[in-house]
Amino acid sequence: MGTVTRVFEDLTAATEAIAPDINSRKFRVGLGPDIKAVLPAGWPRHDPGLQRHARDCVETSDIDLLHTNDLDCMIRTGGGPYRDLALVLVPAGETAFHFVCRPGLANCTQAKAILADLSKLAVG
């Protein structure tokens, strides 16, 4: 598994080196309808970290919006199977946040920043 992770990290670094504007592009984030029940009131609107990395947040359960490139990632509390999409689980008490995106975006700067914010929420 370490080899696969290194390959994706190398691919991410190479992509950011040849296309630095990708690194500054904000994500379009889908929020599963059930996510608001487990996140603080006003989130994501009042999360400064997410505001730096997300262009907009849309409440939806339509995972196909990732396949059509209408969304860059989704944050849910469950679901699946996600077929060819990347899934990162962020433990949050008795449940876990499901961060779902296209495989090429899973290790980019924006995804890592959003995951870091989710991790802080899950702990706090």
Side-chain angles (χ1 to χ4, degrees):
M1 194 66 159
T3 302
V4 172
T5 300
R6 281 192 300 280
V7 167
F8 277 114
E9 288 172 351
D10 290 346
L11 181 60
T12 299
T15 301
E16 290 178 357
I18 62 171
D21 58 322
I22 289 174
N23 199 24
S24 63
R25 184 175 73 81
K26 291 186 173 189
F27 268 22
R28 293 161 295 173
V29 180
L31 300 173
D34 54 345
I35 201 80
K36 288 186 178 184
V38 295
L39 291 173
W43 194 92
R45 193 176 47 240
H46 302 302
D47 185 314
L50 187 64
Q51 293 305 316
R52 279 192 309 277
H53 300 285
R55 179 171 69 198
D56 51 37
C57 294
V58 178
E59 189 172 317
T60 183
S61 60
D62 188 358
I63 201 78
D64 287 329
L65 293 174
L66 293 170
H67 290 104
T68 60
N69 294 328
D70 290 310
L71 291 175
D72 296 305
C73 66
M74 289 188 76
I75 302 168
R76 309 171 79 178
T77 57
Y82 299 116
R83 301 186 314 250
D84 58 336
L85 298 171
L87 167 64
V88 178
L89 295 174
V90 179
E94 295 180 18
T95 187
F97 297 127
H98 289 209
F99 180 85
V100 186
C101 65
R102 292 184 307 278
L105 297 178
N107 287 317
C108 74
T109 302
Q110 293 87 335
K112 288 179 181 178
I114 293 169
L115 285 164
D117 285 349
L118 283 175
S119 294
K120 288 177 199 168
L121 290 172
V123 171

